[in-house]
Coordinates of all heavy atoms in Angstrom, one line a residue:
M20 N 5.3 -13.2 -16.0 CA 6.1 -12.4 -16.8 C 7.5 -13.0 -17.2 O 8.0 -12.8 -18.3 CB 6.3 -11.0 -16.2 CG 5.1 -10.1 -16.3 SD 5.3 -8.5 -15.6 CE 6.3 -7.7 -16.9
L21 N 8.0 -13.7 -16.2 CA 9.3 -14.3 -16.4 C 9.2 -15.3 -17.6 O 10.1 -15.3 -18.4 CB 9.8 -15.0 -15.2 CG 10.5 -14.1 -14.1 CD1 10.8 -14.9 -12.9 CD2 11.7 -13.5 -14.6
E22 N 8.2 -16.1 -17.6 CA 8.0 -17.0 -18.7 C 7.9 -16.3 -20.0 O 8.4 -16.8 -21.0 CB 6.8 -17.9 -18.4 CG 7.0 -18.9 -17.3 CD 8.1 -19.8 -17.5 OE1 8.3 -20.4 -18.7 OE2 8.9 -20.1 -16.6
H23 N 7.2 -15.2 -20.0 CA 7.0 -14.5 -21.3 C 8.4 -14.0 -21.8 O 8.7 -14.2 -23.0 CB 6.1 -13.3 -21.0 CG 6.0 -12.3 -22.2 ND1 5.3 -12.7 -23.4 CD2 6.4 -11.1 -22.4 CE1 5.3 -11.7 -24.2 NE2 6.0 -10.7 -23.7
F24 N 9.2 -13.4 -20.9 CA 10.5 -12.9 -21.4 C 11.4 -14.1 -21.8 O 12.2 -14.0 -22.6 CB 11.1 -12.0 -20.3 CG 10.5 -10.7 -20.2 CD1 9.9 -10.3 -19.0 CD2 10.5 -9.8 -21.3 CE1 9.3 -9.0 -18.9 CE2 9.9 -8.5 -21.2 CZ 9.3 -8.2 -20.0
K25 N 11.2 -15.2 -21.1 CA 12.0 -16.4 -21.4 C 11.7 -16.9 -22.8 O 12.6 -17.2 -23.6 CB 11.7 -17.5 -20.4 CG 12.7 -18.6 -20.4 CD 12.4 -19.6 -19.2 CE 13.6 -20.5 -18.9 NZ 13.3 -21.3 -17.8
K26 N 10.4 -16.9 -23.1 CA 10.0 -17.3 -24.5 C 10.5 -16.4 -25.6 O 10.9 -16.8 -26.6 CB 8.5 -17.4 -24.6 CG 7.9 -18.6 -23.8 CD 6.4 -18.6 -23.9 CE 5.9 -19.8 -23.0 NZ 4.4 -19.8 -23.0
I27 N 10.5 -15.1 -25.3 CA 11.0 -14.1 -26.2 C 12.5 -14.4 -26.5 O 13.0 -14.3 -27.6 CB 10.9 -12.6 -25.7 CG1 9.4 -12.3 -25.7 CG2 11.7 -11.6 -26.5 CD1 9.1 -11.0 -25.0
G28 N 13.3 -14.6 -25.4 CA 14.7 -15.0 -25.6 C 14.9 -16.2 -26.4 O 15.8 -16.2 -27.3
E29 N 14.1 -17.2 -26.1 CA 14.2 -18.5 -26.9 C 13.9 -18.3 -28.3 O 14.5 -18.9 -29.2 CB 13.3 -19.6 -26.2 CG 13.8 -20.0 -24.9 CD 12.8 -20.9 -24.2 OE1 11.7 -21.1 -24.7 OE2 13.2 -21.4 -23.1
S30 N 12.8 -17.5 -28.6 CA 12.4 -17.3 -30.0 C 13.4 -16.5 -30.8 O 13.4 -16.6 -32.0 CB 11.0 -16.7 -30.0 OG 11.1 -15.3 -29.6
S31 N 14.2 -15.7 -30.1 CA 15.2 -14.9 -30.8 C 16.5 -15.7 -31.0 O 17.4 -15.2 -31.6 CB 15.5 -13.6 -30.1 OG 16.1 -13.9 -28.8
G32 N 16.6 -16.9 -30.4 CA 17.7 -17.7 -30.6 C 18.8 -17.4 -29.6 O 19.9 -17.9 -29.6
K33 N 18.5 -16.5 -28.6 CA 19.5 -16.2 -27.6 C 19.2 -16.9 -26.3 O 18.0 -17.0 -25.9 CB 19.5 -14.7 -27.3 CG 19.9 -13.8 -28.5 CD 19.8 -12.4 -28.2 CE 20.2 -11.5 -29.4 NZ 20.1 -10.1 -29.1
Q34 N 20.2 -17.3 -25.6 CA 20.0 -18.0 -24.3 C 20.1 -16.9 -23.2 O 21.1 -16.2 -23.1 CB 21.1 -19.1 -24.1 CG 20.8 -19.9 -22.9 CD 19.6 -20.8 -23.1 OE1 18.7 -20.5 -23.9 NE2 19.6 -22.0 -22.5
I35 N 19.1 -16.7 -22.4 CA 19.1 -15.7 -21.4 C 19.0 -16.4 -20.0 O 18.1 -17.2 -19.8 CB 17.9 -14.7 -21.6 CG1 17.9 -14.0 -22.9 CG2 17.8 -13.7 -20.4 CD1 16.7 -13.2 -23.3
D36 N 19.9 -16.1 -19.1 CA 19.9 -16.7 -17.8 C 18.9 -16.1 -16.9 O 18.3 -15.0 -17.2 CB 21.3 -16.8 -17.2 CG 21.8 -15.4 -16.8 OD1 21.1 -14.4 -16.8 OD2 23.0 -15.4 -16.5
E37 N 18.7 -16.7 -15.7 CA 17.7 -16.2 -14.8 C 17.9 -14.7 -14.3 O 17.0 -14.0 -14.2 CB 17.6 -17.1 -13.6 CG 16.5 -16.9 -12.6 CD 15.2 -17.4 -13.2 OE1 15.1 -18.3 -14.1 OE2 14.1 -16.9 -12.7
A38 N 19.2 -14.4 -14.1 CA 19.5 -13.0 -13.6 C 19.2 -12.0 -14.7 O 18.6 -11.0 -14.4 CB 21.0 -13.0 -13.2
Q39 N 19.5 -12.3 -15.9 CA 19.1 -11.4 -17.0 C 17.6 -11.3 -17.2 O 17.1 -10.2 -17.4 CB 19.8 -11.9 -18.3 CG 21.3 -11.8 -18.4 CD 21.8 -12.4 -19.6 OE1 21.4 -13.5 -20.0 NE2 22.8 -11.8 -20.3
L40 N 16.9 -12.4 -17.0 CA 15.4 -12.3 -17.1 C 14.9 -11.4 -16.0 O 14.0 -10.6 -16.3 CB 14.9 -13.7 -17.0 CG 14.9 -14.6 -18.2 CD1 14.5 -16.0 -17.8 CD2 14.1 -14.1 -19.3
R41 N 15.4 -11.5 -14.8 CA 14.9 -10.7 -13.7 C 15.2 -9.2 -14.0 O 14.4 -8.4 -13.7 CB 15.4 -11.2 -12.4 CG 14.9 -12.5 -12.0 CD 15.1 -12.8 -10.5 NE 14.6 -14.2 -10.2 CZ 13.4 -14.5 -10.0 NH1 12.5 -13.5 -10.0 NH2 13.0 -15.7 -9.7
E42 N 16.4 -9.0 -14.5 CA 16.8 -7.6 -14.8 C 15.9 -7.0 -15.9 O 15.4 -5.9 -15.8 CB 18.2 -7.6 -15.3 CG 18.8 -6.2 -15.4 CD 20.3 -6.2 -15.8 OE1 21.0 -7.0 -15.2 OE2 20.6 -5.5 -16.8
I43 N 15.6 -7.8 -17.0 CA 14.7 -7.3 -18.0 C 13.3 -7.1 -17.5 O 12.7 -6.1 -17.8 CB 14.7 -8.4 -19.2 CG1 16.0 -8.4 -19.9 CG2 13.5 -8.1 -20.2 CD1 16.2 -9.6 -20.8
M44 N 12.8 -8.0 -16.7 CA 11.5 -7.8 -16.1 C 11.4 -6.6 -15.2 O 10.4 -5.8 -15.3 CB 11.1 -9.1 -15.3 CG 9.6 -9.0 -14.9 SD 9.1 -10.5 -14.1 CE 9.6 -10.1 -12.4
A45 N 12.4 -6.3 -14.4 CA 12.4 -5.2 -13.5 C 12.4 -3.9 -14.3 O 11.7 -2.9 -14.0 CB 13.6 -5.2 -12.6
A46 N 13.2 -3.9 -15.4 CA 13.2 -2.7 -16.3 C 11.9 -2.5 -17.0 O 11.5 -1.3 -17.1 CB 14.4 -2.8 -17.3
A47 N 11.3 -3.5 -17.4 CA 10.0 -3.4 -18.2 C 8.9 -3.0 -17.3 O 7.9 -2.4 -17.7 CB 9.7 -4.7 -18.9
S48 N 8.9 -3.4 -16.0 CA 7.7 -3.1 -15.1 C 8.0 -2.0 -14.2 O 7.1 -1.7 -13.3 CB 7.4 -4.4 -14.4 OG 8.4 -4.8 -13.5
S49 N 9.1 -1.3 -14.2 CA 9.4 -0.3 -13.2 C 8.4 0.8 -13.2 O 8.2 1.4 -12.1 CB 10.8 0.2 -13.4 OG 10.9 0.9 -14.6
N50 N 7.8 1.2 -14.3 CA 6.9 2.3 -14.3 C 5.4 1.9 -14.3 O 4.6 2.8 -14.4 CB 7.2 3.2 -15.6 CG 8.5 3.9 -15.5 OD1 8.9 4.3 -14.4 ND2 9.2 4.0 -16.6
M51 N 5.2 0.6 -14.2 CA 3.8 0.2 -14.3 C 2.9 0.7 -13.2 O 1.8 1.1 -13.4 CB 3.7 -1.3 -14.4 CG 4.1 -1.9 -15.7 SD 4.2 -3.7 -15.9 CE 2.9 -4.3 -14.9
G52 N 3.5 0.7 -12.0 CA 2.7 1.2 -10.8 C 2.3 2.6 -10.9 O 1.1 3.0 -10.7
G53 N 3.3 3.5 -11.3 CA 3.0 4.9 -11.5 C 2.0 5.1 -12.6 O 1.1 6.0 -12.5
S54 N 2.1 4.4 -13.7 CA 1.2 4.5 -14.8 C -0.2 4.1 -14.5 O -1.2 4.7 -14.9 CB 1.7 3.7 -16.0 OG 3.0 4.2 -16.5
L55 N -0.3 3.0 -13.7 CA -1.6 2.5 -13.3 C -2.3 3.5 -12.4 O -3.4 3.8 -12.5 CB -1.5 1.1 -12.6 CG -2.7 0.5 -12.1 CD1 -3.7 0.2 -13.3 CD2 -2.4 -0.8 -11.3
L56 N -1.5 4.0 -11.4 CA -2.0 5.0 -10.5 C -2.5 6.2 -11.2 O -3.6 6.8 -10.9 CB -1.0 5.3 -9.4 CG -1.4 6.2 -8.3 CD1 -2.5 5.6 -7.5 CD2 -0.2 6.5 -7.4
L57 N -1.7 6.7 -12.1 CA -2.0 7.9 -12.9 C -3.3 7.7 -13.7 O -4.2 8.5 -13.8 CB -0.9 8.2 -13.9 CG -1.0 9.5 -14.6 CD1 -1.0 10.7 -13.7 CD2 0.1 9.7 -15.6
G58 N -3.5 6.5 -14.3 CA -4.7 6.2 -15.1 C -5.9 6.1 -14.2 O -7.0 6.7 -14.5
I59 N -5.8 5.5 -13.0 CA -6.9 5.5 -12.1 C -7.3 6.9 -11.6 O -8.5 7.3 -11.6 CB -6.6 4.6 -10.9 CG1 -6.5 3.1 -11.3 CG2 -7.6 4.8 -9.7 CD1 -5.9 2.2 -10.3
D60 N -6.3 7.7 -11.2 CA -6.5 9.1 -10.8 C -7.2 9.9 -11.9 O -8.1 10.6 -11.7 CB -5.2 9.8 -10.4 CG -4.8 9.3 -9.0 OD1 -5.6 8.7 -8.3 OD2 -3.6 9.5 -8.7
N61 N -6.7 9.7 -13.1 CA -7.3 10.4 -14.3 C -8.8 10.1 -14.4 O -9.6 10.9 -14.7 CB -6.6 10.2 -15.6 CG -5.3 11.0 -15.6 OD1 -5.1 11.9 -14.9 ND2 -4.3 10.5 -16.4
A62 N -9.1 8.8 -14.3 CA -10.5 8.3 -14.4 C -11.4 9.0 -13.3 O -12.5 9.4 -13.5 CB -10.6 6.8 -14.3
I63 N -10.9 9.0 -12.0 CA -11.6 9.5 -10.9 C -11.8 11.0 -11.1 O -12.9 11.5 -10.9 CB -10.8 9.3 -9.6 CG1 -10.8 7.8 -9.2 CG2 -11.4 10.1 -8.4 CD1 -9.9 7.5 -8.1
I64 N -10.8 11.7 -11.6 CA -10.9 13.2 -11.8 C -12.0 13.4 -13.0 O -12.8 14.3 -12.9 CB -9.6 13.8 -12.2 CG1 -8.7 13.7 -10.9 CG2 -9.7 15.2 -12.7 CD1 -7.2 14.0 -11.2
A65 N -11.9 12.6 -14.0 CA -12.9 12.7 -15.1 C -14.3 12.5 -14.6 O -15.2 13.3 -15.0 CB -12.5 11.7 -16.2
V66 N -14.5 11.6 -13.7 CA -15.9 11.3 -13.2 C -16.3 12.6 -12.4 O -17.5 13.0 -12.5 CB -15.9 10.1 -12.3 CG1 -17.2 10.0 -11.5 CG2 -15.7 8.8 -13.1
G67 N -15.4 13.1 -11.5 CA -15.8 14.3 -10.7 C -16.2 15.5 -11.6 O -17.2 16.1 -11.4
F68 N -15.3 15.8 -12.5 CA -15.6 16.9 -13.4 C -16.7 16.7 -14.4 O -17.5 17.5 -14.7 CB -14.3 17.4 -14.2 CG -13.4 18.2 -13.3 CD1 -12.3 17.6 -12.8 CD2 -13.6 19.5 -13.1 CE1 -11.4 18.3 -12.0 CE2 -12.7 20.3 -12.3 CZ -11.6 19.6 -11.8
G69 N -16.9 15.4 -14.8 CA -18.0 15.0 -15.6 C -19.3 15.2 -14.9 O -20.3 15.7 -15.5
Q70 N -19.4 14.8 -13.7 CA -20.6 15.0 -12.9 C -20.9 16.5 -12.7 O -22.1 16.9 -12.8 CB -20.5 14.3 -11.5 CG -21.8 14.4 -10.8 CD -21.8 13.8 -9.4 OE1 -20.7 13.8 -8.7 NE2 -22.9 13.3 -8.9
F71 N -19.9 17.2 -12.5 CA -20.1 18.7 -12.4 C -20.6 19.3 -13.6 O -21.6 20.1 -13.6 CB -18.8 19.4 -12.0 CG -18.9 20.9 -11.8 CD1 -19.6 21.4 -10.7 CD2 -18.4 21.7 -12.7 CE1 -19.7 22.7 -10.5 CE2 -18.5 23.1 -12.6 CZ -19.2 23.6 -11.5
V72 N -20.1 18.9 -14.8 CA -20.6 19.5 -16.0 C -22.0 19.0 -16.3 O -22.9 19.8 -16.8 CB -19.6 19.0 -17.2 CG1 -20.2 19.3 -18.6 CG2 -18.3 19.7 -17.1
I73 N -22.3 17.8 -16.1 CA -23.6 17.2 -16.4 C -24.7 17.7 -15.4 O -25.8 18.1 -15.8 CB -23.6 15.7 -16.5 CG1 -22.7 15.3 -17.7 CG2 -25.0 15.1 -16.6 CD1 -22.4 13.8 -17.8
E74 N -24.4 17.6 -14.1 CA -25.4 17.8 -13.1 C -25.2 19.2 -12.4 O -26.1 19.6 -11.6 CB -25.3 16.7 -12.0 CG -25.6 15.3 -12.6 CD -25.5 14.2 -11.5 OE1 -25.4 14.6 -10.3 OE2 -25.5 13.1 -11.9
G75 N -24.1 19.9 -12.6 CA -23.9 21.1 -12.0 C -23.5 21.0 -10.5 O -23.4 22.0 -9.8
K76 N -23.2 19.8 -10.1 CA -22.7 19.6 -8.7 C -21.9 18.3 -8.7 O -21.9 17.5 -9.6 CB -23.9 19.4 -7.8 CG -24.8 18.2 -8.0 CD -25.9 18.0 -7.0 CE -26.7 16.8 -7.2 NZ -26.0 15.6 -6.9
I77 N -21.2 18.1 -7.6 CA -20.4 16.9 -7.4 C -20.8 16.3 -6.0 O -20.8 17.0 -5.0 CB -18.9 17.2 -7.4 CG1 -18.5 17.9 -8.7 CG2 -18.1 15.9 -7.2 CD1 -17.0 18.2 -8.8
D78 N -21.2 15.1 -6.0 CA -21.5 14.4 -4.8 C -20.4 14.4 -3.8 O -19.2 14.5 -4.3 CB -21.9 12.9 -5.0 CG -23.2 12.8 -5.8 OD1 -24.0 13.8 -5.9 OD2 -23.4 11.7 -6.4
E79 N -20.6 14.4 -2.5 CA -19.6 14.6 -1.5 C -18.5 13.4 -1.6 O -17.3 13.7 -1.5 CB -20.2 14.6 -0.1 CG -20.8 15.9 0.2 CD -21.3 15.9 1.7 OE1 -20.6 15.4 2.6 OE2 -22.3 16.5 1.9
D80 N -19.0 12.2 -1.8 CA -18.0 11.1 -1.9 C -17.2 11.2 -3.2 O -16.0 10.9 -3.2 CB -18.7 9.7 -1.8 CG -19.8 9.6 -2.9 OD1 -20.3 10.6 -3.5 OD2 -20.2 8.4 -3.2
V81 N -17.8 11.6 -4.3 CA -17.0 11.8 -5.5 C -16.1 13.0 -5.4 O -14.9 12.9 -5.8 CB -18.0 12.0 -6.7 CG1 -17.2 12.3 -8.0 CG2 -18.9 10.8 -6.9
M82 N -16.5 14.0 -4.7 CA -15.7 15.2 -4.4 C -14.4 14.8 -3.6 O -13.3 15.2 -4.0 CB -16.4 16.3 -3.7 CG -15.6 17.5 -3.3 SD -15.2 18.6 -4.6 CE -16.7 19.5 -4.7
A83 N -14.6 14.0 -2.6 CA -13.5 13.6 -1.8 C -12.5 12.7 -2.6 O -11.3 12.9 -2.5 CB -14.0 12.8 -0.6
M84 N -13.0 11.8 -3.4 CA -12.1 11.0 -4.2 C -11.4 11.8 -5.3 O -10.2 11.6 -5.5 CB -12.9 9.9 -4.9 CG -13.4 8.8 -4.0 SD -14.1 7.3 -4.8 CE -15.4 8.0 -5.7
T85 N -12.1 12.8 -5.8 CA -11.5 13.7 -6.8 C -10.4 14.5 -6.2 O -9.3 14.6 -6.8 CB -12.6 14.6 -7.5 OG1 -13.6 13.8 -8.0 CG2 -12.0 15.5 -8.5
K86 N -10.6 15.1 -5.0 CA -9.6 15.8 -4.3 C -8.4 15.0 -4.0 O -7.2 15.4 -4.2 CB -10.1 16.5 -3.0 CG -11.0 17.6 -3.3 CD -11.5 18.2 -1.9 CE -12.4 19.4 -2.1 NZ -12.8 19.9 -0.8
T87 N -8.6 13.7 -3.6 CA -7.5 12.8 -3.3 C -6.7 12.5 -4.5 O -5.5 12.5 -4.5 CB -8.1 11.5 -2.6 OG1 -8.8 11.8 -1.4 CG2 -7.0 10.5 -2.4
A88 N -7.4 12.2 -5.6 CA -6.7 11.9 -6.9 C -5.9 13.1 -7.4 O -4.8 12.9 -7.8 CB -7.8 11.5 -7.9
I89 N -6.4 14.3 -7.3 CA -5.7 15.5 -7.7 C -4.4 15.7 -6.8 O -3.3 15.9 -7.3 CB -6.5 16.7 -7.7 CG1 -7.6 16.7 -8.8 CG2 -5.7 18.0 -7.8 CD1 -8.7 17.7 -8.7
N90 N -4.6 15.5 -5.5 CA -3.4 15.6 -4.6 C -2.4 14.6 -4.8 O -1.2 14.8 -4.8 CB -3.9 15.6 -3.1 CG -4.6 16.9 -2.7 OD1 -4.2 18.0 -3.2 ND2 -5.6 16.8 -1.9
R91 N -2.9 13.4 -5.1 CA -1.9 12.3 -5.4 C -1.2 12.5 -6.7 O 0.0 12.2 -6.8 CB -2.7 10.9 -5.5 CG -1.9 9.7 -5.4 CD -2.6 8.4 -5.2 NE -3.9 8.4 -5.8 CZ -5.0 7.9 -5.3 NH1 -5.0 7.5 -4.0 NH2 -6.1 7.9 -5.9
E92 N -1.8 13.1 -7.7 CA -1.1 13.4 -8.9 C 0.0 14.5 -8.7 O 0.9 14.7 -9.6 CB -2.0 13.8 -10.0 CG -2.8 12.6 -10.6 CD -3.4 12.9 -11.9 OE1 -3.2 14.0 -12.5 OE2 -4.1 11.9 -12.4
L93 N -0.1 15.2 -7.6 CA 0.9 16.2 -7.3 C 2.1 15.7 -6.5 O 3.0 16.4 -6.1 CB 0.3 17.4 -6.6 CG -0.7 18.2 -7.4 CD1 -1.4 19.3 -6.6 CD2 0.0 18.8 -8.6
L94 N 2.1 14.3 -6.2 CA 3.2 13.7 -5.5 C 4.5 13.8 -6.3 O 4.4 13.6 -7.6 CB 2.9 12.3 -5.2 CG 1.8 12.0 -4.1 CD1 1.5 10.5 -4.1 CD2 2.2 12.5 -2.8
P95 N 5.6 14.1 -5.7 CA 6.9 14.2 -6.5 C 7.2 13.0 -7.3 O 7.7 13.2 -8.5 CB 7.9 14.4 -5.4 CG 7.2 15.0 -4.2 CD 5.8 14.4 -4.3
I96 N 6.8 11.8 -6.9 CA 7.2 10.6 -7.7 C 6.4 10.6 -9.0 O 6.9 10.1 -10.0 CB 6.9 9.3 -6.9 CG1 7.5 8.1 -7.6 CG2 5.4 9.1 -6.7 CD1 7.5 6.9 -6.7
L97 N 5.2 11.2 -9.0 CA 4.5 11.3 -10.3 C 4.9 12.5 -11.1 O 4.9 12.4 -12.3 CB 3.0 11.2 -10.0 CG 2.4 9.9 -9.4 CD1 0.9 10.0 -9.2 CD2 2.7 8.8 -10.4
I98 N 5.2 13.6 -10.4 CA 5.6 14.8 -11.1 C 6.9 14.5 -11.9 O 7.1 15.1 -12.9 CB 5.7 16.0 -10.2 CG1 4.3 16.4 -9.7 CG2 6.4 17.2 -10.8 CD1 4.2 17.5 -8.7
D99 N 7.8 13.7 -11.3 CA 9.0 13.4 -11.9 C 8.9 12.7 -13.3 O 9.8 12.7 -14.1 CB 9.9 12.5 -11.0 CG 10.5 13.3 -9.8 OD1 10.5 14.5 -9.9 OD2 10.9 12.6 -8.8
K100 N 7.7 12.1 -13.5 CA 7.5 11.5 -14.8 C 7.1 12.5 -15.9 O 7.2 12.2 -17.1 CB 6.3 10.5 -14.7 CG 6.6 9.3 -13.8 CD 5.4 8.4 -13.7 CE 5.7 7.3 -12.8 NZ 6.5 6.3 -13.4
W101 N 6.8 13.8 -15.5 CA 6.5 14.8 -16.5 C 7.7 15.3 -17.2 O 8.8 15.3 -16.7 CB 5.8 15.9 -15.8 CG 4.5 15.6 -15.1 CD1 3.9 14.4 -15.0 CD2 3.6 16.5 -14.4 NE1 2.7 14.5 -14.3 CE2 2.5 15.7 -14.0 CE3 3.6 17.8 -14.2 CZ2 1.5 16.3 -13.3 CZ3 2.6 18.4 -13.5 CH2 1.5 17.7 -13.1
D102 N 7.4 15.9 -18.3 CA 8.5 16.6 -19.1 C 8.9 17.9 -18.3 O 8.1 18.4 -17.5 CB 7.9 17.0 -20.4 CG 8.9 17.7 -21.3 OD1 9.7 17.0 -22.0 OD2 8.9 19.0 -21.3
G103 N 10.2 18.3 -18.4 CA 10.7 19.4 -17.6 C 9.9 20.7 -17.8 O 9.8 21.5 -16.9
E104 N 9.4 20.9 -19.0 CA 8.6 22.1 -19.2 C 7.4 22.2 -18.4 O 7.0 23.3 -17.9 CB 8.2 22.2 -20.7 CG 7.5 23.4 -21.1 CD 8.4 24.7 -21.0 OE1 9.6 24.6 -21.1 OE2 7.8 25.8 -20.8
Y105 N 6.7 21.1 -18.1 CA 5.5 21.1 -17.3 C 5.8 21.2 -15.8 O 5.1 21.8 -15.0 CB 4.7 19.8 -17.5 CG 4.1 19.7 -18.9 CD1 4.6 18.8 -19.8 CD2 3.1 20.5 -19.3 CE1 4.1 18.7 -21.1 CE2 2.6 20.4 -20.6 CZ 3.1 19.5 -21.5 OH 2.6 19.4 -22.7
K106 N 7.0 20.6 -15.4 CA 7.3 20.6 -14.0 C 7.4 22.0 -13.4 O 7.1 22.2 -12.2 CB 8.7 19.9 -13.8 CG 8.6 18.4 -13.9 CD 10.0 17.8 -13.6 CE 10.0 16.4 -14.0 NZ 11.3 15.8 -13.7
K107 N 7.9 23.0 -14.2 CA 8.2 24.3 -13.6 C 6.9 25.0 -13.4 O 6.9 26.1 -12.7 CB 9.1 25.1 -14.4 CG 8.8 25.3 -15.9 CD 9.9 26.0 -16.6 CE 9.6 26.2 -18.0 NZ 10.7 26.8 -18.7
H108 N 5.7 24.5 -13.8 CA 4.4 25.2 -13.6 C 3.7 24.6 -12.4 O 2.6 25.1 -12.1 CB 3.6 25.1 -14.9 CG 4.2 25.8 -16.1 ND1 4.3 27.2 -16.1 CD2 4.8 25.3 -17.2 CE1 4.9 27.5 -17.3 NE2 5.2 26.4 -17.9
V109 N 4.2 23.6 -11.8 CA 3.5 22.9 -10.7 C 3.9 23.6 -9.4 O 5.1 23.8 -9.1 CB 3.9 21.4 -10.7 CG1 3.3 20.8 -9.5 CG2 3.5 20.8 -11.9
R110 N 2.9 23.9 -8.6 CA 3.1 24.4 -7.2 C 2.6 23.4 -6.2 O 1.5 23.1 -6.3 CB 2.4 25.8 -7.0 CG 3.0 26.9 -7.8 CD 2.3 28.2 -7.3 NE 2.6 29.2 -8.3 CZ 1.7 29.9 -9.0 NH1 0.5 29.7 -8.8 NH2 2.1 30.8 -9.8
I111 N 3.5 23.0 -5.4 CA 3.1 22.0 -4.3 C 2.9 22.8 -3.0 O 3.9 23.4 -2.6 CB 4.1 20.9 -4.2 CG1 4.2 20.2 -5.5 CG2 3.6 19.9 -3.1 CD1 5.2 19.1 -5.6
S112 N 1.8 22.8 -2.4 CA 1.6 23.5 -1.2 C 1.4 22.5 0.0 O 1.2 21.4 -0.1 CB 0.3 24.4 -1.3 OG -0.8 23.6 -1.7

């Protein structure tokens, strides 16, 4: 990623030092972990509910993963990414 940002700086005609490159990279990738985790959880939840709709049941292993994904999406670090209007409807038990 550093090389990518370095090339962007060079192509724009600006000289960017190593510290600036690291700062840009940190800012650009700070939300990637949460977004990736959210995407994975959404896929797991979709599989669980999809199986329920299609087959009328959820296998035990899929049920366990679905429950884990739902609980993980209720973690404060992920809830903080939501808009304020949605946050007030979340109950964490």
Side-chain angles (χ1 to χ4, degrees):
M20 281 184 75
L21 281 173
E22 288 301 315
H23 174 71
F24 286 118
K25 194 174 197 176
K26 287 178 184 177
I27 290 173
E29 290 171 358
S30 68
S31 69
K33 297 179 181 178
Q34 192 69 332
I35 301 174
D36 66 14
E37 190 74 20
Q39 289 173 319
L40 282 172
R41 291 194 182 280
E42 188 178 315
I43 292 168
M44 189 176 85
S48 64
S49 66
N50 290 325
M51 285 175 38
S54 297
L55 179 62
L56 185 62
L57 186 64
I59 291 169
D60 285 341
N61 286 338
I63 292 169
I64 294 165
V66 168
F68 282 99
Q70 184 182 31
F71 180 72
V72 168
I73 292 170
E74 299 177 11
K76 66 177 182 71
I77 303 177
D78 295 338
E79 285 185 36
D80 56 341
V81 175
M82 174 75 79
M84 289 189 302
T85 303
K86 285 181 180 179
T87 300
I89 290 170
N90 286 327
R91 196 169 33 224
E92 286 199 3
L93 293 174
L94 291 173
I96 193 168
L97 293 177
I98 290 174
D99 286 342
K100 294 177 181 285
W101 296 4
D102 182 83
E104 184 64 28
Y105 294 109
K106 286 182 189 179
K107 59 185 175 181
H108 298 289
V109 176
R110 288 190 196 121
I111 301 175
S112 51

